Amino acid sequence: GRLGRPPGLAVVQVGEDAASSIYVRNKRKAAAEAGIASFAHDLPAATSGSDLLALVEQLNRDDRVDGILVQFPLPKGLDATHVMDAIDPSKDVDGFLAANTGLLAQKRQALRPCTPHGVIRLAAAYGIALRGLRATVVGASNIVGRPMALELLLAGATVTVCHTGTRDVQAEVARADLVVAAVGKPHFIPGDWIKPGAAVFDVGINRDAAGKMVGDVEYDRAAERAGWITPVPGGLGPMTIAMLLANAVQAADRLAVLAHGVAEGAVFEPAGEPLLAALQRGLEAEGGEGVADGGGRVAGGVAGDLAPDLAAAALDLVRPPKTRVAL
Ligand code: GUN
């Protein structure tokens, strides 16, 4: 690129939560595969709040770092809200910060939360027109459910959000043309709740009693009824990582515009190995062995065009939909 450096992504992990370690490894690997410079910071579980904030401040100031991701959950005693409030919003590649959530709520989306954005991009790629659809989001967390509802609203759906106070979750799911499950409980949504032909996006990554990785939706039975359904593993997992990398490149581009006054989209020129192919290999390797070295590759692509390509790459890795049923 014209900057003479690739986009940079810092991924911070505190402690050794087993699931987090897998997610973090996959994110770093995909970044390196895509030619994004990956800065790994692994801190002990006993790290103090002030030491963690000091690291965030240092990354905020580091010109090589365009994106900062602090993996959640944090160990007990560390306050996620304090950490988020310390990250520079222009480097918030998770899209978790109050500033970025607020912009999304006002239809002024900047860096968008990765999983919800991934759902929207998958829907677009499969030709699911969201405007006017009845959408039910199950789960109201700050990192998936709430921003998911905002994304669907932005896309013109009529949105219901289910949470612990919801009286009849089954009824809300059963009338939905589109369901997003973001609960974090294995098979929380029985397949026979799904309306025939509905689109089902399963964000859950859980272990069932036998230790097998399963989603929040009872997949086999739901797949008999749904028009579209994302698998676990392999659906929103890789899609989330693709959106993270897209955010890192978008952040790099915007920061370069600010720092160098060049036109947006002009900084990271196509160069070296195409980002897309590298990303695809990175995602294929997800959960597998082949770790790539990121070895000095230059990021290719122009930020403005990049995200659709990333989505397309991730899409190829999602199992093809079953029969498509008109909603
Ligand atoms: N924990 C679970 N999912 C995520 C994510 O997308 N980003 C971060 N930072 N932490 C998470």
Side-chain angles (χ1 to χ4, degrees):
R2 206 184 290 172
L3 282 185
R5 67 161 179 85
L9 173 65
V11 178
V12 179
Q13 184 179 3
V14 188
E16 291 172 357
D17 177 76
S20 288
S21 296
I22 295 169
Y23 303 150
V24 161
R25 196 182 62 210
N26 288 339
K27 290 171 185 180
R28 289 173 179 162
K29 194 166 64 179
E33 273 283 319
I36 291 172
S38 173
F39 299 88
H41 293 271
D42 293 300
L43 307 181
T47 299
S48 69
S50 57
D51 282 356
L52 180 54
L53 290 182
L55 172 61
V56 168
E57 302 287 352
Q58 178 202 316
L59 295 171
N60 282 343
R61 285 191 305 267
D62 190 335
D63 289 339
R64 301 165 305 163
V65 173
D66 303 295
I68 302 170
L69 181 153
V70 179
Q71 185 70 22
F72 295 135
L74 292 173
K76 282 204 174 52
L78 290 174
D79 183 342
T81 307
H82 280 149
V83 174
M84 282 193 285
D85 285 351
I87 295 173
D88 178 343
S90 57
K91 296 189 177 187
D92 172 29
V93 283
D94 264 324
F96 285 175
L97 269 56
N100 285 315
T101 304
L103 289 168
L104 179 60
Q106 293 187 354
K107 301 179 278 188
R108 298 159 62 201
Q109 62 279 12
L111 290 170
R112 298 159 76 164
C114 302
T115 304
H117 192 198
V119 169
I120 300 294
R121 299 298 280 276
L122 279 173
Y126 282 113
I128 301 169
L130 298 175
R131 190 164 176 77
L133 283 197
R134 273 205 179 115
T136 291
V137 180
V138 187
S141 69
N142 279 332
I143 72 176
V144 183
R146 278 163 200 274
M148 187 72 251
L150 292 172
E151 283 282 359
L152 288 164
L153 187 57
L154 185 68
T158 299
V159 184
T160 299
V161 184
C162 299
H163 45 79
T164 52
T166 300
R167 294 211 180 118
D168 190 346
V169 178
Q170 178 174 359
E172 305 299 346
V173 169
R175 66 197 178 94
D177 304 311
L178 182 152
V179 178
V180 180
V183 185
K185 294 193 173 144
H187 292 173
F188 181 83
I189 298 178
D192 59 13
W193 287 10
I194 302 299
K195 177 168 140 179
V200 179
F201 296 89
D202 193 345
V203 176
I205 300 179
N206 315 291
R207 299 272 168 194
D208 70 8
K212 187 179 159 221
M213 195 186 292
V214 298
D216 290 348
V217 178
E218 186 196 9
Y219 182 89
D220 291 345
R221 180 81 182 107
E224 290 168 14
R225 299 167 64 86
W228 299 262
I229 183 166
T230 61
V232 178
L236 271 314
M239 199 61 200
T240 295
I241 293 180
M243 296 296 97
L244 171 67
L245 302 187
N247 274 351
V249 176
Q250 182 180 322
D253 212 9
R254 297 255 161 94
L255 287 165
V257 170
L258 291 177
H260 302 274
V262 297
E264 194 151 341
V267 179
F268 294 103
E269 298 159 341
E273 191 171 3
L275 178 63
L276 196 56
L279 174 70
Q280 181 132 8
R281 276 205 323 281
L283 292 179
E284 277 164 1
E286 191 198 1
E289 315 319 324
V291 180
D293 73 289
R297 268 190 220 112
V298 185
V302 174
D305 301 331
L306 197 58
D309 290 349
L310 287 172
L315 269 177
D316 289 343
L317 304 166
V318 176
R319 268 180 243 149
K322 312 181 326 99
T323 44
R324 298 183 181 204
V325 180
L327 292 172

